[in-house]
Amino acid sequence: MIKIVFMDVDGTLLSEKDRSLSPSTEESIRKLVRRGIQVVLVTGRPYNLCGDFRKLGIDTMISANGALIKSGEEVIHKSVLSARMVREFSEFAELNGSSISYFTESFEMNGLCTTDVRVTDALRDTLGLMEYPLSISSLEQEVYCICLYADQDEVEKFQSRFPALKFVRFHPYVSNVLEENEVSKSIAAGKVLDHLNISKEEAMAFGDGENDIDLLEYVGLGIAMGNGGERVKQSADYVTLRASEDGITHALRKFKIIE
């Protein structure tokens, strides 16, 4: 019996074409909530770009690919980057002329490459942002995730300077920058399940991106969106329709989670 459903946002909950939420998908979410099934967002988005989904009855949100998990105002888990790492990485990015973003409870950047089409396209592709965000006001606040906007040659400069850090590419021009603490959607889902005392066999998940693969493999029932890549589809138990074709509703009905 499914007691909890994890949902990626962009290209899964929202259409891969225009990032709209279809009426059918919205109603399916409301049906899950009315049935008492937990619905959890699990996204690479920063926390402040998840608030609109509360109107659907979604209260638990895994943001920054698992670095910050909140249920209402309660913090279930957070993975905070060390202040020294944030400062030194920022200084090197400044010297290198590279754009980086900071996932605090909001979303800010270092103010470099504001008109670089590679950066602006990546912001649109990954977060649906049409304008370059504000520059970070202070490096003293908690930072849960840093993203580096760079091609492979540029990334290698950072890897040489920071050999202890892990660089995980999730977009042709964007990489997550991680310290020793592993951050992933599946680890974050496990923390939510422990918090709610639900087994992973009672969990279902939807995703379309490569950063969803570990989540789809972890839960009892992993669903890949039809617009996902081949590796994502191969990791899933079932491939549903595209997000723009109400793939969430289709799968929920197929597995008789909703009518």
Side-chain angles (χ1 to χ4, degrees):
M1 177 180 174
I2 297 298
K3 295 182 178 179
I4 188 168
V5 180
F6 295 94
M7 292 188 183
D8 173 52
V9 175
D10 298 288
T12 301
L13 186 60
L14 302 183
S15 168
E16 80 283 2
K17 292 183 176 179
D18 58 9
R19 284 185 168 77
S20 62
L21 176 65
S22 75
S24 172
T25 301
E26 179 174 349
E27 179 56 26
S28 294
I29 302 302
R30 295 187 186 280
K31 285 181 179 178
L32 290 172
V33 173
R34 287 197 294 268
R35 288 197 59 191
I37 296 173
Q38 293 280 341
V39 181
V40 179
L41 287 191
V42 52
T43 176
R45 287 184 176 210
Y47 181 75
N48 73 315
L49 293 184
C50 299
D52 287 348
F53 298 102
R54 286 199 181 91
K55 65 184 180 183
L56 301 178
I58 301 174
D59 197 43
T60 302
M61 313 211 180
I62 296 171
S63 61
N65 277 327
L68 177 62
I69 309 172
K70 294 183 74 172
S71 181
E73 293 305 311
E74 179 186 3
V75 176
I76 296 176
H77 170 75
K78 62 181 178 181
S79 179
V80 181
L81 298 175
S82 68
R84 178 178 178 179
M85 175 271 189
V86 171
R87 183 178 66 254
E88 291 181 354
F89 198 89
S90 299
E91 290 171 352
F92 189 75
E94 185 85 24
L95 289 172
N96 200 57
S98 299
S99 186
I100 58 176
S101 61
Y102 306 87
F103 289 56
T104 57
E105 286 216 8
S106 59
F107 180 74
E108 300 160 296
M109 296 188 73
N110 65 347
L112 298 179
C113 310
T114 58
T115 59
D116 187 327
V117 68
R118 297 172 300 176
V119 175
T120 55
D121 282 355
L123 287 168
R124 184 195 64 235
D125 292 345
T126 59
L127 297 172
L129 295 177
M130 306 308 291
E131 296 181 357
Y132 193 95
L134 295 174
S135 297
I136 192 164
S137 55
S138 170
L139 294 178
E140 302 305 313
Q141 59 190 308
E142 289 186 340
V143 177
Y144 308 110
C145 176
I146 283 179
C147 286
L148 171 63
Y149 294 73
D151 59 25
Q152 190 54 38
D153 288 341
E154 292 176 271
V155 169
E156 288 175 1
K157 297 177 186 177
F158 284 83
Q159 289 174 319
S160 296
R161 172 64 180 80
F162 301 98
L165 298 180
K166 184 177 180 181
F167 295 77
V168 180
R169 185 172 295 282
F170 66 93
H171 177 274
Y173 202 66
V174 193
S175 296
N176 274 342
V177 182
L178 306 174
E179 287 188 295
E180 292 179 0
N181 293 339
E182 186 70 25
V183 174
S184 72
K185 290 189 175 184
S186 61
I187 292 172
K191 293 183 182 298
V192 171
L193 293 174
D194 288 344
H195 181 74
L196 296 173
N197 195 28
I198 297 174
S199 72
K200 65 179 183 179
E201 289 74 25
E202 298 170 310
M204 181 181 194
F206 289 86
D208 75 305
E210 298 220 349
N211 61 341
D212 297 311
I213 290 175
D214 63 300
L215 175 64
L216 299 185
E217 292 177 338
Y218 174 74
V219 297
L221 182 56
I223 309 295
M225 307 305 292
N227 47 281
E230 283 308 309
R231 285 191 64 229
V232 183
K233 292 175 180 177
Q234 290 170 9
S235 71
D237 298 298
Y238 178 72
V239 178
T240 188
L241 302 176
R242 303 173 73 87
S244 57
E245 299 169 338
D246 295 323
I248 286 178
T249 298
H250 174 80
L252 289 173
R253 286 177 176 165
K254 174 178 175 57
F255 290 97
K256 297 180 170 53
I257 312 299
I258 63 172
E259 296 179 353

